[in-house]
Amino acid sequence: GNSVTQMEGPVTLSEEAFLTINCTYTATGYPSLFWYVQYPGEGLQLLLKATKADDKGSNKGFEATYRKETTSFHLEKGSVQVSDSAVYFCALSDGGGSWGKLQFGAGTQVVVTP
Amino acid sequence: DTAVSQTPKYLVTQMGNDKSIKCEQNLGHDTMYWYKQDSKKFLKIMFSYNNKELIINETVPNRFSPKSPDKAHLNLHINSLELGDSAVYFCASSLDSASYNEQFFGPGTRLTVL
């Protein structure tokens, strides 16, 4: 079956540090890949997505590239801010009859200190 | 205006009770979802409706019954509540059930069963 594995947190960084959160996936088809972010006490919101191999999703300084050969979709940001403190979820949706079902990784909590 | 809204935001109840959570979206989307987030932040799909028809029904106890009176509303009724039902329940919607679509999440309902 399909699955998503992402690095465990919490990840604690200083402001302006470089952030990487690793995400790898297993899928039988050609999934769409997503990064969602959950700020404290809120619902999830889409951060970025990529729908085919070699696509790069980007938003708010975050980037991730869909790598089919390594089945990865690592999230990066060059200079984090305190406001980036949140839980980040990697997710996939497999086109093969999944009806849009999102399968999530376990989430990675990121804490950015001033 | 709120895109996906849920009521109530908090729900505290005793074991054995029956409760409902309501969800509404004003985005004109065809597809709506219920997800459960456990205490470790892990998210799992429960149900999905597309234009009032059930399209995803994961392995969920039959004490959980979703109902979609129209495509803008998706409610979740839970009978005979158990301690293990304590979680945050998120409603989400998307344009349709295609795998590449962004899902818009509500703010969540924190259910505590005592």
Side-chain angles (χ1 to χ4, degrees):
Chain A
N2 298 338
S3 65
V4 177
T5 303
Q6 62 182 104
M7 59 190 283
E8 287 187 28
V11 173
T12 303
L13 303 159
S14 297
E15 212 165 18
E16 299 183 4
F18 185 87
L19 171 68
T20 299
I21 305 176
N22 289 339
C23 171
T24 57
Y25 67 90
T26 303
T28 51
Y30 299 92
S32 293
L33 302 175
F34 304 83
W35 278 100
Y36 281 84
V37 59
Q38 184 178 27
Y39 298 103
E42 297 184 10
L44 283 75
Q45 52 187 275
L46 180 69
L47 184 57
L48 53 83
K49 71 175 187 180
T51 58
K52 61 182 188 298
D54 300 324
D55 270 1
K56 178 189 279 189
S58 60
N59 186 26
K60 300 182 182 179
F62 289 89
E63 291 184 343
T65 301
Y66 188 139
R67 301 281 189 206
K68 196 169 184 325
E69 63 276 12
T70 54
T71 61
S72 65
F73 192 54
H74 304 321
L75 182 68
E76 296 182 336
K77 185 174 186 183
S79 176
V80 293
Q81 306 299 313
V82 172
S83 56
D84 293 324
S85 298
V87 181
Y88 293 81
F89 292 92
C90 186
L92 71 81
S93 184
D94 193 344
S98 70
W99 299 107
K101 175 172 74 173
L102 282 171
Q103 290 183 266
F104 288 92
T108 302
Q109 183 174 9
V110 171
V111 178
V112 181
T113 56
Chain B
D1 279 342
T2 305
V4 182
S5 58
Q6 295 179 228
T7 53
K9 190 166 173 64
Y10 300 97
L11 187 52
V12 181
T13 188
Q14 300 286 333
M15 268 198 313
N17 284 349
D18 303 338
K19 291 293 178 187
S20 291
I21 307 171
K22 294 182 186 297
C23 177
E24 177 180 2
Q25 54 95 2
N26 63 6
L27 297 166
H29 288 169
D30 281 349
T31 308
M32 296 183 73
Y33 309 82
W34 278 113
Y35 290 88
K36 179 180 179 180
Q37 186 175 47
D38 65 21
S39 58
K40 295 185 178 177
K41 300 280 190 187
F42 187 72
L43 279 148
K44 188 166 167 51
I45 184 85
M46 299 175 71
F47 301 103
S48 176
Y49 274 73
N50 186 65
N51 208 3
K52 301 193 297 175
E53 287 195 25
L54 182 67
I55 56 172
I56 297 174
N57 185 353
E58 290 290 288
T59 310
V60 176
N62 58 15
R63 298 181 296 103
F64 289 79
S65 52
K67 282 192 172 52
S68 182
D70 55 61
K71 72 175 194 177
H73 296 85
L74 179 61
N75 304 324
L76 183 65
H77 187 75
I78 316 170
N79 287 326
S80 303
L81 278 155
E82 300 178 357
L83 293 176
D85 298 332
S86 295
V88 181
Y89 292 84
F90 287 101
C91 177
S93 74
S94 62
L95 186 64
D96 55 40
S97 60
S99 62
Y100 47 78
N101 283 328
E102 173 182 2
Q103 292 185 21
F104 293 79
F105 284 77
T109 296
R110 182 175 293 277
L111 171 64
T112 304
V113 182
L114 303 174

